[in-house]
């Protein structure tokens, strides 16, 4: 792990009460599978509530406050995708230089019931304490090392840097997963690892 304290983004803190009016709201629309529309509706509501705009993909959703928004169906145990990264960025960027670091300072987690198109719960977690960030940094390093090991194996066997689609390189709290055709990567936190991380964060903060 790095011995350097993690840089602070110094964003204003937001109270969870700002987002609690979302609980019980019905999301407009009829198709429960249209998760893109659901995400846009949630983002638009929050944007109006905080009178802020959404930045590019390299910054947290609520850039002015350093908060990344993650919503999912209550019946889903799929992983939380944090950011996309190229192989080049994985090989050259330290955790503190990565989009993952930018997006993992604070998480607004929104639970939805997609069958009834309602929002059931919201949680706001600030992860910017050094203890939690050290856990995330170590997982980033461990998962990256597994990517490097696979790359070196391919070089030894003259495979031509070909990663399989949806290939997972796991660490304790986070993973790198290749995209569909193996041309890029997602830094993601599986559902069970996120629950463990958030529970630890409460004790470490």
């Amino acid at each position: 792990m790095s011995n350097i304290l993690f840089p602070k983004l110094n964003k204003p803190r937001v109270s969870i009460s700002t987002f609690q009016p979302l609980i019980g709201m019905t999301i407009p629309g009829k198709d429960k599978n249209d998760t893109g529309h659901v995400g846009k509706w949630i983002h638009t509501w929050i944007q109006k509530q905080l009178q802020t705009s959404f930045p590019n993909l390299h910054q947290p959703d609520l850039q002015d406050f350093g908060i990344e928004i993650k919503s999912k169906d209550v019946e889903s145990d799929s992983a939380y995708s944090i950011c996309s990264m190229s192989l080049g960025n994985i090989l050259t960027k330290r955790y503190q230089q990565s989009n993952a670091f930018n997006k993992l300072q604070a998480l607004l987690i929104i639970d939805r019931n997609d069958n009834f198109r309602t929002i059931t719960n919201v949680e706001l977690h600030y992860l910017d304490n050094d203890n939690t960030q050290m856990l995330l940094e170590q997982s980033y390093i461990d998962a990256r090392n597994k990517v490097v090991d696979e790359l070196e194996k391919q070089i030894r066997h003259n495979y031509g840097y070909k990663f399989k689609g949806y290939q997972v390189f796991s660490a304790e709290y986070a993973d790198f997963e290749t995209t569909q055709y193996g041309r890029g990567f997602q830094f993601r936190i599986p559902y069970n690892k996120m629950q463990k991380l958030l529970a630890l964060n409460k004790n470490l903060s």
Side-chain angles (χ1 to χ4, degrees):
M1 293 185 186
S2 170
N3 291 322
I4 302 172
L5 289 177
F6 294 89
K8 304 300 181 185
L9 300 184
N10 295 321
K11 302 290 185 178
R13 297 269 175 167
V14 181
S15 169
I16 184 60
S17 62
T18 303
F19 307 106
Q20 285 176 333
L22 277 167
I23 299 175
M25 281 190 177
T26 299
I27 301 167
K30 297 180 180 180
D31 185 359
K32 70 175 184 178
N33 296 316
D34 186 5
T35 55
H37 165 75
V38 170
K40 289 178 183 177
W41 184 88
I42 291 172
H43 280 58
T44 299
W45 186 93
I46 293 173
Q47 181 180 356
K48 291 180 179 179
Q49 188 80 354
L50 293 177
Q51 298 182 344
T52 187
S53 59
F54 289 92
N56 59 49
L57 296 176
H58 303 300
Q59 298 295 328
D61 292 320
L62 300 175
Q63 183 176 359
D64 293 341
F65 303 94
I67 298 173
E68 179 75 1
I69 302 171
K70 292 297 170 191
S71 70
K72 66 186 309 174
D73 181 27
V74 292
E75 296 182 357
S76 171
D77 59 359
S78 60
Y80 293 90
S81 293
I82 305 302
C83 66
S84 300
M85 291 187 69
S86 67
L87 177 60
N89 282 339
I90 293 173
L91 296 177
T92 60
K93 287 187 178 292
R94 296 166 51 243
Y95 172 65
Q96 293 94 328
Q97 300 169 320
S98 71
N99 296 338
F101 174 77
N102 292 334
K103 289 173 175 283
L104 285 170
Q105 300 302 300
L107 291 178
L108 176 64
I109 296 180
I110 300 174
D111 293 333
R112 318 179 309 262
N113 185 322
D114 286 347
N115 288 319
F116 295 97
R117 299 190 69 82
T118 56
I119 294 174
T120 60
N121 193 44
V122 294
E123 296 180 1
L124 180 59
H125 299 272
Y126 282 96
L127 309 177
D128 55 350
N129 68 84
D130 285 338
N131 292 319
T132 299
Q133 287 299 310
M134 286 174 69
L135 297 176
L136 288 166
E137 179 191 39
Q138 191 60 57
S139 289
Y140 179 95
I141 292 170
D142 292 344
R144 181 181 63 186
N145 287 343
K146 291 184 178 181
V147 173
V148 171
D149 289 344
E150 173 65 18
L151 182 61
E152 290 176 345
K153 183 177 75 173
Q154 292 180 18
I155 292 172
R156 288 196 304 270
H157 292 86
N158 296 315
Y159 290 158
Y161 312 108
K162 291 183 180 179
F163 286 88
K164 299 176 182 177
Y166 304 121
Q167 191 171 357
V168 177
F169 303 89
S170 297
E172 186 171 5
Y173 293 101
D175 308 336
F176 279 114
E177 181 185 49
T178 58
T179 54
Q180 183 175 2
Y181 300 106
R183 297 171 183 166
F185 292 80
Q186 287 281 333
F187 187 72
R188 59 178 211 150
I189 301 179
Y191 177 81
N192 62 328
K193 295 181 181 181
M194 180 68 84
Q195 300 311 304
K196 180 181 177 181
L197 179 71
L198 295 181
L200 282 171
N201 182 65
K202 290 181 180 179
N203 295 325
L204 294 172
S205 300

